Amino acid sequence: MNKPTDESQIMKMEQPIFLQPMPPARPASRLQRLGDAMRRYRRLILGVQWAVVVFYLALVMIPAFLPLPGTGASVLNNLTLLAQFMFWGIWWPFVIVATLTMGRVWCGVLCPEGTLTELASRHGLGRPVPRWLKWGGWPFAAFVITTVYGQLVSVYEYPKAVLLVLGGSTVAAIAVGFVYGRGKRVWCRHLCPVSGVFALLARLAPVHFRVDRKKWDAAASTHPVPVDCAPLLDMRRMKSGSQCHMCGRCSGQRDAVTLAPRLPGAEVANLKAAEAGAWEARLLVFGIIGTAVGAFQWSSSPWFVAIKTRVAEWLIERDSFALLQDNAPWWLLTHYPEANDVFTWLDGIGVLTYIGATALILGSWITLWLRLAGALLPGDAKQNSRWIAYAFIPLGGLGVFLGLSALTVTLLKAEGVIMPWLPEVRGALLALAALWSLWLGWRMLQRISRWRKVFALGALGAAIGGNVFAWMLQFYIW
Ligand code: SF4
């Protein structure tokens, strides 16, 4: 029996979650055994998922109804600060690291939104996924909108903003799950604001669920029970780890699916130019790099302060005070008078402009050099440049980690933890990320003739230099 390949066909199949038969005995490596154990102990994973859901909902909801922490409050005695530290100090930076090292295990084993959207989908309307929802630009649009909006309402600092941004995303995940799919994660596959980021980072992971196509086809008649693959993957043809949630439900299926090691970045190194996606390249260059750098940078940028002050002076000289008002509601712009933290309309416009300009300038710089590199290679220059853009995944991923860990550092400093070694560690991580990207580019260009390769790598190096300079501004120059 052939496996269906269309998403709607995959969704129509009844795939009971607990009835996953175990594969026949086979000589197994430790990783294989781990993958098989994930399938065997599915109930345990479900228990962990629901514990995370309860913990997550408590940290998202309760602090929003508590007063803001006073002076002397600490993560050890204040739930709001504890939630802030858990979300932005630990959760986010280390989800990035986990995805780089273990693939999307966060999505498949721990993510509360994934758990809730799948449950809603199991008891919902079961409608097929409409075409508009499959638009390839959603991961880019959702990431950029969430990142920018999060800055406008100061999501890193205030629990009401957390409830709005994270809670809103969770409600949307449940609603999408309720309407579409049958026990599937339509939200995760198409709309989750970070699924595009995780899909790119997972391509570097040194472990993945490998599918042996020959074994799969040969065993077709002996393994009739389908696997409950929540993100709607066509396992038989799966070659990439980017969309796999590493849930382990398919481990050992038809004796063909195995949790296996691979060289970090091997998937990207072996990617063909024709397989590169335009939206993935845009998400990487203008989203994960351009927008994220702007979002992490604006609050420490002297340029932001100088330009905003100049504009404010210019407005005052002309008796124009409308943009200097601070009467925007908290759900539109940061508004916490009790913490002396209130955005004027000018602040809001300034943040939007700074992030937008950074995304545009940095993204265009990188795109320019990637286009040059693409033109040096045989074939379609535009498609080549999208393909080479994938070499930026290590720098993009570790850049986001560095940006998020800056929050960890700020929160730890507030707790009295001093880290004198921080500049050296940041420098080493930045250098490692830049060299990893260059090395990945070199591996991708292996089959290209020597001189073309050298010039294309030079162009990639110039693009990487622009990204590194942006981080150096924030960590060393300002
Ligand atoms: S292919 Fe599907 S079922 Fe298998 S591990 Fe990945 S997400 Fe889970």
Side-chain angles (χ1 to χ4, degrees):
M1 186 183 74
N2 280 338
K3 284 276 291 172
T5 56
D6 182 67
E7 245 182 42
S8 56
Q9 281 178 287
I10 294 172
M11 280 192 344
K12 279 177 198 157
M13 299 171 64
E14 290 299 327
Q15 296 176 337
I17 193 162
F18 297 119
L19 301 180
Q20 300 297 324
M22 277 315 301
R26 55 184 175 156
S29 67
R30 275 189 193 167
L31 269 180
Q32 275 179 314
R33 287 204 297 273
L34 178 63
D36 290 349
M38 288 174 79
R39 181 170 182 162
R40 187 176 299 118
Y41 298 109
R42 177 91 197 111
R43 280 177 187 278
L44 181 65
I45 290 179
L46 277 170
V48 171
Q49 282 178 328
W50 283 107
V52 175
V53 167
V54 172
F55 191 58
Y56 165 80
L57 291 178
L59 288 189
V60 166
M61 284 163 46
I62 297 172
F65 300 98
L66 298 176
L68 289 176
T71 43
S74 144
V75 287
L76 300 175
N77 61 21
N78 185 286
L79 184 65
T80 302
L81 289 180
L82 176 70
Q84 189 187 18
F85 187 67
M86 292 300 294
F87 278 133
W88 311 117
I90 296 178
W91 174 42
W92 266 111
F94 291 98
V95 167
I96 299 288
V97 173
T99 310
L100 280 169
T101 52
M102 294 182 280
R104 298 179 65 170
V105 74
W106 163 261
C107 302
V109 176
L110 298 167
C111 178
E113 281 191 4
T115 308
L116 290 168
T117 196
E118 192 178 333
L119 177 79
S121 179
R122 223 167 269 291
H123 302 285
L125 306 178
R127 294 201 182 140
V129 184
R131 251 180 73 179
W132 65 265
L133 214 146
K134 294 180 187 171
W135 178 54
W138 281 126
F140 174 80
F143 175 79
V144 170
I145 291 169
T146 312
T147 304
V148 174
Y149 183 59
Q151 292 304 305
L152 293 177
V153 295
S154 297
V155 71
Y156 297 143
E157 277 98 29
Y158 298 106
K160 276 203 291 189
V162 169
L163 182 61
L164 187 65
V165 176
L166 295 185
S169 167
T170 305
V171 170
I174 294 170
V176 168
F178 185 77
V179 178
Y180 302 112
R182 283 191 191 161
K184 299 298 171 196
R185 296 187 174 199
V186 176
W187 166 264
C188 312
R189 178 71 190 264
H190 298 290
L191 292 176
C192 169
V194 282
S195 74
V197 179
F198 293 161
L200 281 164
L201 301 188
R203 288 182 183 273
L204 296 182
V207 289
H208 69 142
F209 276 99
R210 187 178 58 206
V211 182
D212 186 324
R213 178 80 178 263
K214 279 186 189 157
K215 279 190 182 174
W216 182 285
D217 290 342
S221 60
T222 57
H223 292 263
V225 178
V227 172
D228 178 28
C229 178
L232 297 150
L233 299 187
D234 176 11
M235 266 165 276
R236 180 175 174 238
R237 294 178 177 81
M238 187 170 78
K239 288 183 183 154
S240 165
S242 70
Q243 295 298 338
C244 170
H245 284 196
M246 301 291 282
C247 67
R249 297 180 211 182
C250 62
S251 188
Q253 183 75 2
R254 299 176 187 233
D255 209 17
V257 186
T258 312
L259 185 59
R262 60 181 181 178
L263 267 181
E267 183 184 322
V268 179
N270 295 322
L271 192 77
K272 295 186 179 72
E275 292 167 344
W279 279 113
E280 276 201 313
R282 280 177 205 135
L283 172 64
L284 188 52
V285 174
F286 287 93
I288 298 174
I289 294 173
T291 305
V293 167
F296 287 127
Q297 215 178 56
W298 70 267
S299 57
S300 56
S301 167
W303 300 342
F304 175 79
V305 176
I307 293 169
K308 202 187 74 176
T309 310
R310 278 303 306 246
V311 174
E313 285 168 358
W314 188 84
L315 288 170
I316 291 167
E317 281 164 18
R318 278 153 191 78
D319 288 336
S320 177
F321 297 103
L323 292 179
L324 302 177
Q325 301 292 315
D326 59 6
N327 53 356
W330 67 269
W331 47 265
L332 194 59
L333 293 176
T334 304
H335 192 89
Y336 299 93
E338 64 274 37
N340 286 325
D341 194 1
V342 178
F343 278 17
T344 61
W345 293 98
L346 180 62
D347 288 322
I349 293 169
V351 171
L352 277 179
T353 310
Y354 191 94
I355 298 175
T358 307
L360 217 61
I361 294 168
L362 189 52
S364 301
W365 170 268
I366 293 170
T367 303
L368 205 77
W369 287 105
L370 291 179
R371 282 283 168 89
L372 183 63
L376 290 165
L377 306 175
D380 179 353
K382 207 169 174 182
Q383 186 60 21
N384 287 339
S385 67
R386 289 174 187 149
W387 174 58
I388 299 289
Y390 282 67
F392 263 90
I393 299 176
L395 192 51
L398 282 173
V400 173
F401 173 77
L402 280 173
L404 289 167
S405 63
L407 297 167
T408 318
V409 170
T410 308
L411 295 169
L412 285 174
K413 266 188 191 162
E415 295 296 317
V417 179
I418 308 296
M419 288 165 273
W421 38 264
L422 197 62
E424 288 80 11
V425 171
R426 276 181 175 153
L429 269 179
L430 205 52
L432 174 82
L435 288 174
W436 190 359
S437 279
L438 259 182
W439 180 65
L440 200 52
W442 179 79
R443 287 179 66 198
M444 291 171 80
L445 295 168
Q446 257 178 18
R447 288 186 207 93
I448 306 296
S449 66
R450 193 171 158 202
W451 288 112
R452 283 175 191 250
K453 181 158 78 177
V454 168
F455 284 119
L457 270 180
L460 178 64
I464 288 172
N467 192 183
V468 171
F469 178 67
W471 285 115
M472 285 178 65
L473 276 176
Q474 182 172 346
F475 291 135
Y476 300 103
I477 299 175
W478 289 338

